[in-house]
Amino acid sequence: MFDTLSDRLQTALGGLSRKGRLDEETVTKAMREVRLALLEADVDFEVVKEFVAAIKERALGADVLTGLEPGQRVVKIVHEELTQLMGAGDSKLAFGRPPTVILMTGLQGSGKTTSSAKLALLLRREGKQPALVAADLQRPAAIDQLEQLGRQIQVPVYRGDNADPVAVSKAGVEWAKHNGNDVVIVDTAGRLHVDEELMDELARVRDATKPLNVLLVLDAMTGQEAVNVAKAFQERVAFDGLVMTKLDGDARGGAALSVKAVTGCPIKLVSIGEKLDQIEWFHPDRMASRILGMGDVLTLIEKAEAAAEEGEQEEMERRMRAGEFTFDDFLSSYRMIRRMGPLQGVLKMMPGIGKQLDGIDIDEKQMARVEAIVLSMTPHERRVPHAINGPRRRRIADGSGTTIDEVNKLLQARKQMAKMVKQMGKGKLPALPPELTRAPRR
Amino acid sequence: MSRTWAELLGDAAGVVDDEERTGFFGRLRESLSKSRRALTDQLAAAAFDAADDESWERLEVALLRADVGVPATAELVGRLEARGEIGSLEDALAEEVERLFGEPPTLAVQGATPRVILVVGVNGTGKTTTIGKLANTLREHGRSVLLGAGDTFRAAAEEQLEIWATRSGADLVGASAGGDPAAVAFDAIEAGRARGRDVVIIDTAGRLHTQTNLMAELEKVRRVIAGRIDDAPHETLLVVDATTGQNGLQQARLFAAAAGVTGVVLTKLDGSAKGGVAVAIAHELGLPVKLVGVGEAVGDLRPFDAHDFARALISG
């Protein structure tokens, strides 16, 4: 695994004083690490060079804030600059006199068809009435794929009987207009940016459909090639924004920075999973964190907010402040976490914990046993955990199909969690309780 | 001279070989000439001088730009520096890259039939297309082929493979959407055996290497295959998109751990991407590249040739 930038900087600058200003030597050392980190994140070579030069200027003579290591200070500056650079420009889509046409373009395999369907679903949920046009006449069964996706998300799909994508696109837009759809998403065939003929065809599709939004769909795993691709698509179809796909993997997605820097076009959407609702509007600060390998606290907070039911959150907060943590809290926080998705994914987003998780599998089955134990307790036992004596432990173990040993472990874990909760109430990040992890399988 | 299919498959040389030898490099050169390549041009234009720091820097930049990555670039540059006298940079680098890639690999299609090839990779790298082209070429080289549509996840994946099966004259064993890919693998091998097919190629759904449950599914597919034929799968090919950056290394690492990858297929080399991540993969994991995809046509899947690849890497 790559080291995160903060770890690398900590190592490189570890011996330096915590006070005063960042001097020339410190900054030069730090910039070397920043450069390597960005290259490993697949940021374009030239972009790295320019970016590092700009950062260096800002970092020189910057105050080292109290409480921050020099390395953390540099990370903060890099993060701020990255966020600013990627955040410039409008990340919203343009909507005009209906139907608004959105043209999806990109290389083969970048995820155009799936992104088209995801975008349609996102817009439908935001109150629009989208239609899809299957204009990828190149890849075998691409039209079938879009049609199946359209059925899943209940969005109409136009398929033409013409072999010319220009004619199909045009007819599709007309068809959607006739049906009263206010947004039309045109899925085109993947093409290489060096293929003159197909790039020309794409320009003709654009001219025929007059899209308000031309989107370039780009795989987050793309390497140095991203810049060539973006430049070529910009030259030929003048795209307005970027859709980054496959961000659910562990690619750092440095291509996002490269493309933004080289074309000036904002990133509009990010695709973060295989399910059709896993697409989001772009957040530059999160992308900056990702490129730097810093975890994704904001997404986590948002997920937690979405998962917590009304009132539940305030109640939790009140209890946490009071330093209380009963088995009832245990159960509700446990269920809240379950609603946020697979535990591994949730924990990965927490800074610091992501690294602890390297090579460790979270045992989801173990979690289910834990739930069974709590459910075998009486309401009184859940509220007043210290009332659970020997005979009660035996009864709980029998009731949940576990052993007394496991029940004891859980009682122990609750005590630890109560401590953690107190710390969290004071604004500290907890360490992962060892009960929830196990050694790697291999 | 480029490697031929006969060499890759371990067959006696055929008549088409001479024509084939110029094929890959010619094609690659042609496609690369379309791309912008300011830096590599610079590298080629300015004579390489081992005493000149700028020459070394230009080389480093060219390799980094080709996605070779920092560690493998440092390794290659280190090896070249150790040589002292460089002579022609192109030849010297080609030799070093070739050494890194090791002995020219073969595709394990000789031996008791059916031979089983499992094809894996992340989403959108071109697994299904690669299988279609491979099936076609194997047919041309006298093998009967059966395809197993193990991508039960992506909408219309089976339809796509079916079209390729028809094109290449291969049999197809399918499944219902959302079905169990291990069951498809099982059925495909049984059918391949019963019908006396030489090669069974099993497609799988694209999956990100970080999805632990899907990687476990892949392990299961592998186990089921091994349960039917002792030494199968005889090949597990990881399909990597040449435009992939340093994440390709992580892909290779995790797929190798879950599915026992025996070789890499580097696709989409017909763009301006150089596929340098394959060097990083070979350097760090010792996995050979066996095949390259250099175009959309059926004949555009070619045996990998380290020498050609190395030259293309810096010479455009």
Side-chain angles (χ1 to χ4, degrees):
Chain A
M1 238 352 236
F2 301 123
D3 294 325
T4 67
L5 179 61
S6 4
D7 292 339
R8 305 175 68 136
L9 284 173
Q10 226 71 278
T11 316
L13 309 179
L16 292 166
S17 95
R18 286 157 162 262
K19 283 181 187 145
R21 291 159 190 279
L22 294 175
D23 58 27
E24 178 84 41
E25 194 203 338
T26 314
V27 170
T28 306
K29 258 192 195 168
M31 287 310 122
R32 205 189 104 79
E33 297 300 322
V34 171
R35 178 173 174 270
L36 283 177
L38 292 177
L39 281 175
E40 276 181 354
D42 292 319
V43 180
D44 175 73
F45 183 83
E46 289 296 318
V47 175
V48 170
K49 226 163 103 182
E50 280 167 37
F51 183 75
V52 169
I55 295 280
K56 188 173 179 181
E57 213 165 290
R58 219 197 115 181
L60 263 176
D63 289 328
V64 178
L65 302 177
T66 39
L68 281 184
E69 304 267 349
Q72 289 174 327
R73 179 76 181 114
V74 174
V75 171
K76 194 161 180 289
I77 294 173
V78 175
H79 188 266
E80 280 168 12
E81 290 288 318
L82 271 180
T83 307
Q84 206 194 351
L85 186 60
M86 284 190 297
D90 194 355
S91 73
K92 295 200 178 62
L93 293 176
F95 292 98
R97 202 159 57 92
T100 294
V101 178
I102 302 172
L103 186 64
M104 306 292 278
T105 69
L107 300 179
Q108 289 97 334
S110 55
K112 284 173 301 303
T113 305
T114 309
S115 297
S116 298
K118 284 178 170 180
L119 180 57
L121 180 61
L122 182 73
L123 293 175
R124 190 171 70 90
R125 290 192 172 163
E126 291 185 356
K128 300 271 193 298
Q129 288 181 312
L132 288 158
V133 175
D136 178 358
L137 312 177
Q138 203 79 25
R139 180 163 57 94
I143 300 176
D144 296 339
Q145 186 186 354
L146 194 67
E147 267 192 334
Q148 289 181 22
L149 293 174
R151 261 198 303 279
Q152 285 174 35
I153 57 172
Q154 296 160 347
V155 168
V157 176
Y158 176 82
R159 67 181 295 168
D161 45 9
N162 197 304
D164 173 22
V166 181
V168 169
S169 307
K170 201 175 163 143
V173 172
E174 283 307 315
W175 171 83
K177 190 176 180 179
H178 179 78
N179 290 346
N181 295 106
D182 50 10
V183 183
V184 192
I185 301 167
V186 182
D187 178 30
T188 63
R191 61 201 78 221
L192 280 170
H193 55 294
V194 292
D195 191 325
E196 288 298 326
E197 213 174 295
L198 285 180
M199 289 302 281
D200 189 57
E201 175 196 278
L202 190 61
R204 280 185 285 122
V205 170
R206 184 201 54 192
D207 294 344
T209 54
K210 299 187 177 53
L212 265 187
N213 306 276
V214 179
L215 299 181
L216 175 67
V217 181
L218 191 74
D219 187 328
M221 294 179 275
T222 312
Q224 299 284 319
E225 183 70 354
V227 163
N228 293 337
V229 173
K231 276 185 184 160
F233 274 85
Q234 188 180 38
E235 230 165 73
R236 300 304 299 269
V237 292
F239 65 91
D240 306 287
L242 212 61
V243 182
M244 287 289 279
T245 59
K246 305 179 201 174
L247 273 166
D248 44 334
D250 56 1
R252 289 286 176 74
L257 176 65
S258 311
V259 174
K260 180 74 197 10
V262 168
T263 65
C265 290
I267 301 143
K268 307 233 175 200
L269 291 152
V270 291
S271 166
I272 47 156
E274 291 202 329
K275 298 209 181 73
L276 289 172
D277 59 355
Q278 289 175 320
I279 192 165
E280 289 176 352
W281 300 103
F282 175 68
H283 296 278
D285 46 344
R286 294 181 195 173
M287 196 66 216
S289 301
R290 185 186 183 103
I291 291 175
L292 299 177
M294 285 169 57
D296 193 348
V297 197
L298 288 171
T299 303
L300 184 68
I301 292 170
E302 246 176 42
K303 276 199 173 183
E305 277 171 0
E309 276 159 20
E310 199 75 23
E312 200 177 3
Q313 233 176 320
E314 284 161 33
E315 175 61 15
M316 276 289 282
E317 218 180 294
R318 190 193 63 73
R319 287 170 167 284
M320 274 166 74
R321 283 225 190 81
E324 283 171 39
F325 195 75
T326 66
F327 275 113
D328 280 323
D329 299 322
F330 190 99
L331 206 59
S332 66
S333 57
Y334 164 80
R335 285 181 173 155
M336 204 166 92
I337 289 175
R338 306 294 326 190
R339 283 200 294 270
M340 286 161 70
L343 196 56
Q344 187 105 22
V346 173
L347 291 172
K348 216 173 59 189
M349 285 186 286
M350 297 178 79
I353 289 186
K355 186 134 190 164
Q356 289 183 40
L357 280 183
D358 267 1
I360 292 174
D361 264 348
I362 296 293
D363 194 345
E364 305 266 349
K365 273 202 194 110
Q366 184 59 31
M367 298 289 288
R369 292 171 77 83
V370 164
E371 187 179 16
I373 294 176
V374 178
L375 288 175
S376 295
M377 297 174 184
T378 65
H380 176 71
E381 285 165 351
R382 286 183 217 169
R383 255 193 327 272
V384 193
H386 64 255
I388 305 176
N389 56 17
R392 283 175 190 264
R393 288 178 198 198
R394 158 132 316 274
R395 194 207 75 242
I396 292 167
D398 287 346
S400 56
T402 56
T403 62
I404 294 191
D405 195 38
E406 281 174 273
V407 175
N408 284 337
K409 271 191 187 149
L410 180 66
L411 292 171
Q412 214 39 51
R414 187 210 60 86
K415 270 192 197 160
Q416 278 191 16
M417 278 182 139
K419 264 188 223 157
M420 266 168 53
V421 160
K422 252 186 214 161
Q423 285 179 358
M424 270 167 102
K426 290 176 194 153
K428 284 182 197 152
L429 273 175
L432 199 61
E435 286 75 12
L436 295 182
T437 60
R438 59 170 180 190
R441 250 177 296 168
R442 274 176 294 277
Chain B
M1 286 203 293
S2 299
R3 250 171 105 66
T4 64
W5 272 103
E7 281 166 344
L8 181 76
L9 302 177
D11 292 347
V15 276
V16 287
D17 287 4
D18 274 347
E19 192 191 323
E20 239 188 282
R21 283 187 193 282
T22 48
F24 164 56
F25 191 44
R27 264 206 102 86
L28 205 54
R29 247 188 191 295
E30 192 190 318
S31 68
L32 286 170
S33 70
K34 287 189 237 165
S35 62
R36 61 201 75 220
R37 43 171 207 267
L39 270 162
T40 47
D41 272 351
Q42 244 178 26
L43 192 70
F48 188 83
D49 176 3
D52 172 24
D53 282 351
E54 259 180 51
S55 283
W56 288 105
E57 206 185 307
R58 276 200 300 272
L59 172 64
E60 261 179 36
V61 172
L63 292 174
L64 287 173
R65 292 225 102 160
D67 288 317
V68 173
V70 177
T73 295
E75 170 75 22
L76 281 175
V77 170
R79 286 188 186 193
L80 285 171
E81 273 173 339
R83 288 169 81 120
E85 199 45 54
I86 298 291
S88 153
L89 173 67
E90 194 179 285
D91 289 345
L93 182 72
E95 276 170 36
E96 291 304 336
V97 170
E98 217 166 0
R99 269 178 54 199
L100 208 84
F101 275 110
E103 283 298 300
T106 53
L107 206 62
V109 291
Q110 304 285 353
T113 57
R115 309 302 284 176
V116 181
I117 302 177
L118 179 65
V119 180
V120 302
V122 301
N123 317 61
T125 54
K127 281 178 295 302
T128 308
T129 307
T130 297
I131 290 170
K133 292 175 182 174
L134 181 59
N136 197 71
T137 309
L138 287 173
R139 292 272 298 155
E140 283 173 6
H141 285 77
R143 266 81 173 181
S144 55
V145 180
L146 183 138
L147 305 180
D151 182 354
T152 53
F153 182 80
R154 180 163 60 95
E158 188 178 328
E159 283 89 330
Q160 188 182 349
L161 196 65
E162 197 174 351
I163 293 168
W164 276 111
T166 315
R167 277 186 198 167
S168 60
D171 295 352
L172 181 82
V173 168
S176 50
D180 180 6
V184 176
F186 184 100
D187 290 350
I189 289 175
E190 289 307 303
R193 228 185 220 157
R195 299 180 207 173
R197 295 294 176 255
D198 297 322
V199 183
V200 173
I201 310 178
I202 296 165
D203 194 9
T204 60
R207 66 200 72 217
L208 290 178
H209 47 288
T210 48
Q211 294 162 327
T212 358
N213 50 345
L214 290 183
M215 294 306 276
E217 178 189 273
L218 212 51
E219 283 179 49
K220 183 181 163 196
V221 171
R222 204 189 145 77
R223 271 201 311 277
V224 166
I225 294 173
R228 302 318 296 162
I229 300 177
D230 271 347
D231 51 347
H234 307 94
E235 287 282 357
T236 301
L237 298 175
L238 172 69
V239 182
V240 176
D241 186 328
T243 51
T244 309
Q246 295 313 296
N247 192 246
L249 198 53
Q250 191 64 3
Q251 289 173 24
R253 207 175 273 141
L254 294 185
F255 271 101
V261 173
T262 55
V264 170
V265 182
L266 198 57
T267 59
K268 308 185 198 177
L269 264 176
D270 46 336
S272 51
K274 304 278 175 59
V277 73
V279 180
I281 292 173
H283 169 54
E284 227 163 278
L285 304 170
L287 278 178
V289 182
K290 297 204 170 180
L291 294 161
V292 292
V294 293
E296 297 210 333
V298 175
D300 288 339
L301 184 72
R302 310 285 313 151
F304 174 76
D305 185 286
H307 197 78
D308 288 352
F309 177 78
R311 288 172 66 174
L313 207 56
I314 56 155
S315 67

